[in-house]
Amino acid sequence: MSEKDDNAYWKANISIIRVSLVIWAVVSFGFGILLRPMLSGISVGGSDLGFWFAQQGSILVFLALIFFYAWRMNAVDRAHGVDEE
């Protein structure tokens, strides 16, 4: 791979990481802490939605982001010719 290809590959990788981190921060910090008073009127599993995000929702979103990252990086690897065969 040339240096131009390397830069394009890492730019795609950093872009995916950046999007994942923003989603994770919004869900864990935003929904679980900052927006919890606004979400307190919505009931999920016997507790309010803000509490659910703080206790379980952020963990589930984090796990989903791990699978999303692996799926997208496999596509980026194939597109740049560095995939595992």
Side-chain angles (χ1 to χ4, degrees), residues 3-5 7-9 13 15-17 22 28 31-33 36 43-44 48 52 59 69 78-79:
E3 187 173 330
K4 183 178 178 182
D5 293 336
N7 289 338
Y9 175 78
N13 187 0
S15 174
I16 294 168
I17 291 172
V22 167
S28 63
F31 290 165
I33 297 171
R36 184 167 181 217
S43 180
V44 172
D48 65 271
W52 184 84
I59 295 169
Y69 177 79
R78 278 192 301 276

Side-chain angles (χ1 to χ4, degrees), residues 10-80:
W10 284 108
K11 184 177 180 181
N13 187 0
I14 296 299
S15 174
I16 294 168
I17 291 172
R18 188 174 290 129
V19 167
S20 297
L21 283 174
V22 167
I23 292 170
W24 176 65
V26 167
V27 169
S28 63
F29 188 69
F31 290 165
I33 297 171
L34 296 177
L35 299 176
R36 184 167 181 217
M38 292 174 46
L39 299 173
S40 65
I42 304 169
S43 180
V44 172
S47 65
D48 65 271
L49 186 59
F51 180 78
W52 184 84
F53 269 114
Q55 298 302 313
Q56 294 175 336
S58 60
I59 295 169
L60 295 176
V61 170
F62 182 70
L63 289 173
L65 284 172
I66 291 171
F67 287 105
F68 168 76
Y69 177 79
W71 171 71
R72 281 301 297 147
M73 280 309 298
N74 282 334
V76 169
D77 287 349
R78 278 192 301 276
H80 290 277

